[in-house]
Amino acid sequence: MSIVVRDVLEHELDSVLALNNAAGPAILPLDAARVRHFYDSAEYFRVALRDDTLAGFMIGVGSGSEHDSSNFRWFRERHADFFYIDRIVVASRRRGGGVGRALYADAQSYAELRYPQMACEVFLEGDHDPALLFHGSFGFREIGQHVMPGAGMRAAMLMKPLCSHAWVRETYGDSLPDEPWVRARQTIAARPRLTGTRSR
């Protein structure tokens, strides 16, 4: 019954799409092209497995990203350096079982090595109290509200300071140890491209 969190695999994208679009109005819908875009470019795209079955996923980007979300832009207009959680989705049958906390703990372990704070939003439509309580118990606090253009959905904009970041920066600077759990995800955009002729 353990929860395993790891990078998403390409063959899982259809399952991620189905899980996202079954999550209800608290999560914006995706299409296959958008999921592929995240797979190719998102700094953080991880899945949670329980009993070898997809139980949830999380997608995140750094403040230097070209991410086109209006919520992301809201944070970037006000803060210089942060890690943004674009979405977290947990399968309905797995909610309340620790999957969301496992994903957030994993994301924090990644982010605190690179950013001083984490940002996310909770839509204030319907029964949003459980989501606000969950994020509040994880250290997030509301710093404002934003209405998404076009969609008209109001969101509570949340941030959480990452207290270990200053120590990591002072100790390691830009030279983090080459350990598997520290390495950044290799997105398509970041992967080296082979040039020149192939040696024989």
Side-chain angles (χ1 to χ4, degrees), residues 97-119:
V99 173
R101 288 193 174 275
L103 284 165
Y104 263 108
D106 184 78
Q108 179 171 323
S109 293
Y110 171 83
E112 66 190 351
L113 302 182
R114 299 164 174 88
Y115 301 96
Q117 51 199 347
M118 291 176 71

Side-chain angles (χ1 to χ4, degrees), residues 86-103:
D86 180 83
R87 68 190 58 223
I88 175 174
V89 177
V90 176
S92 57
R93 69 187 182 282
R94 297 298 189 184
R95 291 174 190 163
V99 173
R101 288 193 174 275
L103 284 165

Side-chain angles (χ1 to χ4, degrees), residues 131-143:
L132 288 175
L133 177 60
F134 171 86
H135 286 85
S137 70
F138 213 79
F140 286 91
R141 297 293 177 263
E142 183 176 324
I143 61 167

Side-chain angles (χ1 to χ4, degrees), residues 17-18 21 47 50 83 88 105 114 141 144 160 165 171 193:
L17 177 61
N21 291 344
V47 294
R50 190 154 211 170
F83 182 70
I88 175 174
R114 299 164 174 88
R141 297 293 177 263
K160 172 183 180 173
H165 178 260
T171 306
R193 299 184 180 183

Side-chain angles (χ1 to χ4, degrees), residues 16 33 35 54 103 188 200:
V16 165
V35 174
L54 182 68
L103 284 165
I188 295 294
R200 297 179 187 269

Side-chain angles (χ1 to χ4, degrees), residues 118-139:
M118 291 176 71
C120 66
E121 74 276 342
V122 170
F123 290 121
L124 299 176
E125 307 289 336
D127 187 15
H128 57 264
D129 284 343
L132 288 175
L133 177 60
F134 171 86
H135 286 85
S137 70
F138 213 79

